[in-house]
Amino acid sequence: MPTLFTRIINGEIPGRFVWKDDDVVAFLSIGPLSDGHTLVVPRQEIDKWTDAPAELMRKLTSVAQAIGQAQVAAFGSERAGLSIAGFEVDHLHLHVWPANSLADFDFSRAESNPDPERMEANAEKLRDALRSAGHGAFVPEQ
């Protein structure tokens, strides 16, 4: 049975994508820690990050870094947070979000019902920042 993320990647469940390439996608989290919180996900179903091939991990972290840089630019945060937890969905994913302090790393503070219009605006803001940074080839229109 496909994972939740595979269903999002395949378009069976909607997602606010900000990055798509042959190996990796990125879309906004439905439980954001801050505006622009993004999940970087391999297209390949891998449960644990420790089971991922090294080349795929390099690609995931490279995409996460590009997204983190765009988040800092787009949302004016001091830095970008990065976490690999893997307990929410059995499909490897990296959390990347704008952060200004260690308090911003507290997953118990994740928003449970974010405003859809604000989420759309955040996705477009992040897409624009990624395009401005030279990543337009990987940024979907929506």
Side-chain angles (χ1 to χ4, degrees):
M1 178 176 207
T3 68
L4 173 66
F5 290 161
T6 296
R7 294 180 65 209
I8 292 170
I9 292 165
N10 291 340
E12 298 168 30
I13 298 172
R16 290 178 179 89
F17 288 89
V18 298
W19 185 283
K20 288 184 178 180
D21 68 32
D22 291 340
D23 304 308
V24 176
V25 300
F27 47 85
L28 293 193
S29 172
I30 62 169
L33 292 173
S34 61
D35 286 343
H37 182 164
T38 302
L39 304 177
V40 180
V41 183
R43 290 182 181 272
Q44 180 183 359
E45 286 187 8
I46 298 171
D47 181 6
K48 300 172 184 143
W49 72 269
T50 51
D51 293 337
E55 183 62 30
L56 179 59
M57 286 305 299
R58 283 190 288 277
K59 178 82 179 265
L60 288 166
T61 56
S62 177
V63 171
Q65 185 176 37
I67 288 171
Q69 291 166 344
Q71 288 170 337
V72 169
F75 298 99
S77 61
E78 188 174 327
R79 47 185 79 216
L82 174 67
S83 177
I84 304 171
F87 290 102
E88 313 89 356
V89 176
D90 293 338
H91 190 141
L92 169 60
H93 57 287
L94 284 65
H95 291 264
V96 186
W97 68 97
N100 292 302
S101 74
L102 279 177
D104 294 333
F105 285 68
D106 183 355
F107 278 81
S108 71
R109 295 176 48 188
E111 194 172 349
S112 61
N113 192 21
D115 176 62
E117 288 181 20
R118 191 176 95 237
M119 295 285 286
E120 287 298 330
N122 289 339
E124 194 53 41
K125 196 173 186 178
L126 187 51
R127 287 184 202 111
D128 287 344
L130 285 163
R131 287 184 197 107
S132 292
H135 303 291
F138 307 110
V139 179
E141 289 304 312
Q142 289 211 14

